[in-house]
Amino acid sequence: PYIIAEPCVDVKDKACIEECPVDCIYEGGRMLYIHPDECVDCGACEPVCPVEAIFYEDDTPDQWSGYVNANVDFFNELGSPGGATKVGQVEYDPPFIKELPPMAS
Ligand code: F3S
Ligand code: F3S
């Protein structure tokens, strides 16, 4: 699947949500996360992110490799809801993301 990495933190542009045909991009406290099982690898979200936060998981830059697991761990409690719209924002981020300093410019 595709994943969302650190440039999304405190930015949350959400242009990606508009492009996803399966509504698998979920909103956490500080960033958004792609559901690893619901994503169908269409790739439509990747070019529209204005801060280039979205990567195919194997192409994730090394400094953000922890975000591959973050996009999995975010769903530990949520499971597979089958659509982000009905879930809405979840006030959760994996701990290393929650503890980042403020990132907004
Ligand atoms: Fe984040 Fe980019 Fe989407 S900033 S919300 S990944 S468009
Ligand atoms: Fe949706 Fe992007 Fe996957 S548009 S299906 S999250 S590659």
Side-chain angles (χ1 to χ4, degrees):
Y2 283 70
I3 66 104
I4 300 179
E6 192 162 289
C8 185
V9 174
D10 297 339
V11 175
K12 286 184 165 185
D13 180 85
K14 299 186 184 175
C16 55
I17 291 176
E18 307 295 320
E19 302 299 324
C20 185
V22 294
D23 191 24
C24 73
I25 307 177
Y26 292 72
E27 184 175 6
R30 296 186 66 185
M31 60 173 277
L32 280 79
Y33 302 88
I34 294 175
H35 197 296
D37 299 324
E38 296 177 0
C39 172
V40 296
D41 286 352
C42 79
C45 55
E46 187 268 325
V48 302
C49 176
V51 294
E52 298 183 27
I54 303 176
F55 300 91
Y56 184 67
E57 67 175 322
D58 292 346
D59 298 331
T60 304
D62 286 344
Q63 74 267 33
W64 296 326
S65 60
Y67 286 83
V68 176
N69 279 334
N71 281 253
V72 174
D73 295 343
F74 178 76
F75 297 96
N76 283 347
E77 290 192 17
L78 268 183
S80 190
T85 303
K86 66 186 179 196
V87 173
Q89 186 184 6
V90 177
E91 286 297 338
Y92 173 79
D93 297 287
F96 84 93
I97 295 168
K98 185 179 176 69
E99 291 159 14
L100 287 170
M103 304 295 275
S105 53

